[in-house]
C-alpha cells in the first residue's frame, strides 16, 4: 500500500475497532511519514476501488527460551469495515501478510487479538497471558529480606525517549516472549505521551550511563484526583533488566506520596512482587487476558532456535495447512530439535497443528493441557510429560509490550 494511503488505513482501522482506549490519540490527521509506519508492511483490501480493510506489522525480534532473538513480524492494525465483513477480506489480508512474512525470512509472527475466535484458523496459538497487578499501597510492606534496589531518578518523559529505547534493547536475555521495539513503535508511543501532556512520568534505574530499567506512569484521572483513598497511578511500561532494577523501580512506585493504588499493566502471572511483600494480598491480579498469540512461520528454524530442558526425547508431527513447508516430523531433545527425513521418520509420539505448536512453543501453555483439550494427539501419553519437561521455562513467558 502506498504511503499516501496511510491516513485512510488509520480511519478504516479505527472504524473497524469502534473504540479502543488510546487509539483515538492517533488521529488520521497526524503525520503519517515513515516515523510511524514501516515501508512495505501495510496491506489493504479494496472493493470497487475503496479501501475497506487493513493489516499492518512491525519488524521486531522475539526472545525465545534460552535467550536467542528471532526475526519477528509483529502484526497490528487488522480491521475490516463493518459494511464489508464476512466475505473473506480478512482471510485474503492474512494470507498476503503470511506469505510476505515468510518471504522476508521471519521465523515467527505474533499479535494481540481483539476477539479470541479470529486468528487460530491462520495458525496463531495463545502463547502468553498477562494481567494488571494492582497494589493497595497501605497494605504493601516490603519484607526485610526484599532486595533494596539501586538509585532511581525522574527524567523528562519526552527527552528521555532514546535512553528508554537503549535500555530496552540492551535487556539481558532473561525473559522468553519479550519482543524488540522498533523505532516506529517508540514514535507512536511518544506521540501518545506528547498528547497526554505533562501527566506522564518516567523514572529510570541505575547510575547515569549504566541505566538498566525504567517505569513510565501516569495518574488515572477517570476518578476525581481529590477523592482521597481512590487515587491510582497506572504504570503502563515497566522494564527491568536486573532484579535490582525491578526492586528499585517498584520501591519508587510503591513509595509515592498521595497515591493509594498502583496498577502495573502487563505483568506475568508468576510476578514475584506478592512474594516480596509481607501481605501478598496487597497485590491483586486484575484483567487477566490473552497476551501473545504466536504463529510459527518457519517451524524448523523456530524449533532449532530455542533450548530444551528436560531429559528424554519426543517425536512430534506438525501439520500446517497454510504453510505446507512446515508440515513434517521433528525430533526434540535437550540436544536441540531437527526435522526427520520423511522416509526414516519413526511414528510420531505427538501430533499437533501449527497453532497448537505456537501455543506451547514459549512454555506458557503445556502439552498436557492441549492434549486434555483434544488439540494434541498423543500416541504415547508418557510423551506428554516428556514434552512438557523439555519445553518448560524457568519463569512464565510474557511479552510486556503492547503494539
Ligand atoms: C475481525 C475482522 C477483521 C474479520 O474480518 P472478515 O473480513 O469479516 O473476516 P473473513 O470474512 O475473512 O472471515 C474468515 C472466517 O473467520 C470468521 N470470523 C471472522 N471474524 C470473526 C469473529 N470476530 N468472531 C468469530 N469468527 C470470525 C468468519 O466467520 C469466517 O469463518 P468461515 O471461513 O468459517 O466462514 C473484522 O470483523 C473486524 O474488523 N472486526 C473489528 C476489528 C477487529 O476486531 N480487528 C482485529 C484486531 S486484532
Amino acid at each position: 500500500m502506498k504511503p499516501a494511503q496511510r491516513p485512510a488505513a488509520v480511519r478504516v482501522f479505527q472504524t473497524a475497532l469502534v473504540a479502543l482506549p488510546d487509539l483515538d490519540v492517533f488521529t488520521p490527521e497526524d503525520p503519517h511519514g515513515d516515523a510511524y509506519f514501516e515501508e512495505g508492511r501495510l496491506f489493504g483490501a479494496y472493493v470497487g476501488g475503496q479501501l475497506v480493510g487493513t493489516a499492518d506489522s512491525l519488524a521486531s525480534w522475539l526472545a525465545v527460551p534460552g535467550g536467542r532473538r528471532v526475526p519477528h513480524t509483529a502484526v497490528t492494525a487488522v480491521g475490516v469495515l463493518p459494511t464489508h465483513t464476512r466475505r473473506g477480506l480478512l482471510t485474503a489480508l492474512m494470507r498476503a501478510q503470511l506469505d510476505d512474512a515468510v518471504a522476508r525470512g521471519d521465523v515467527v509472527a505474533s499479535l494481540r487479538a481483539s476477539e479470541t475466535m479470529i486468528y487460530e484458523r491462520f495458525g496463531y496459538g495463545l502463547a502468553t497471558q498477562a494481567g494488571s497487578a494492582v497494589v493497595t499501597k497501605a497494605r504493601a510492606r516490603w519484607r526485610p529480606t526484599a532486595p533494596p534496589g539501586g538509585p532511581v531518578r525522574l527524567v523528562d518523559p519526552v527527552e528521555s525517549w532514546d535512553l528508554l529505547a537503549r535500555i530496552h534493547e540492551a535487556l539481558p536475555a532473561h525473559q522468553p516472549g519479550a519482543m524488540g521495539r522498533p523505532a516506529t513503535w517508540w514514535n507512536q508511543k511518544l506521540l501518545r505521551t506528547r498528547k497526554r501532556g505533562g501527566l506522564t512520568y518516567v523514572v529510570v534505574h541505575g547510575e547515569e550511563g549504566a541505566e538498566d530499567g525504567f517505569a513510565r506512569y501516569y495518574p488515572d484521572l477517570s476518578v476525581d484526583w481529590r477523592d482521597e483513598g481512590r487515587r491510582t497511578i497506572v504504570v503502563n511500561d515497566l522494564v527491568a533488566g536486573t532484579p535490582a532494577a525491578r526492586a528499585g523501580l517498584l520501591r519508587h512506585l510503591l513509595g509515592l506520596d498521595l497515591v493509594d493504588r498502583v496498577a502495573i499493566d502487563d505483568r506475568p502471572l508468576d510476578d514475584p512482587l506478592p512474594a516480596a511483600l509481607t501481605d501478598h494480598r496487597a497485590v491483586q491480579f486484575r484483567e487477566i487476558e490473552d497476551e501473545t498469540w504466536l504463529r510459527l512461520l518457519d517451524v524448523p528454524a523456530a524449533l532449532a532456535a530455542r533450548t530444551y530442558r528436560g531429559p528424554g526425547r519426543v517425536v512430534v508431527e506438525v501439520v500446517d495447512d497454510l504453510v505446507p513447508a512446515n508440515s513434517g516430523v521433528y525430533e526434540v531433545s535437550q540436544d536441540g530439535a531437527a526435522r526427520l527425513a520423511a522416509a526414516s521418520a519413526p511414528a510420531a509420539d505427538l501430533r499437533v497443528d501449527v497453532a497448537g505448536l505456537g501455543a506451547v512453543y514459549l512454555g506458557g501453555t503445556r502439552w498436557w493441557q492441549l492434549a486434555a483439550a483434544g488439540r494434541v494427539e498423543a500416541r504415547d501419553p508418557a510423551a506428554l510429560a516428556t514434552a512438557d519437561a523439555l519445553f518448560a521455562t524457568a519463569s512464565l513467558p510474557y511479552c510486556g509490550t503492547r503494539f
Side-chain angles (χ1 to χ4, degrees), residues 294-332:
L294 185 65
R295 211 292 175 199
L296 305 186
L297 301 170
D298 182 337
V299 169
L303 287 177
R306 61 156 291 175
T307 56
Y308 301 90
R309 296 163 69 90
R313 62 188 269 285
V314 282
V315 177
V316 180
E317 181 182 353
V318 179
V319 181
D320 187 346
D321 293 334
L322 289 180
V323 187
N326 285 328
S327 294
V329 178
Y330 298 84
E331 185 180 50
V332 181

Side-chain angles (χ1 to χ4, degrees), residues 12-18 20 52-54 75-82 84-94 111-119 121-122:
V12 166
F13 180 54
Q14 285 175 333
T15 308
L17 262 290
V18 188
L20 189 69
V52 297
T54 70
V75 174
T76 186
V78 176
V80 173
L81 286 183
H84 291 77
T85 52
R86 307 303 181 270
R87 60 177 82 171
L89 295 177
L90 170 71
T91 306
L93 285 164
M94 289 278 117
L111 52 77
R112 304 284 177 267
S114 62
E115 292 180 289
T116 51
M117 302 296 288
I118 304 173
Y119 294 106
R121 72 192 68 230
F122 305 113

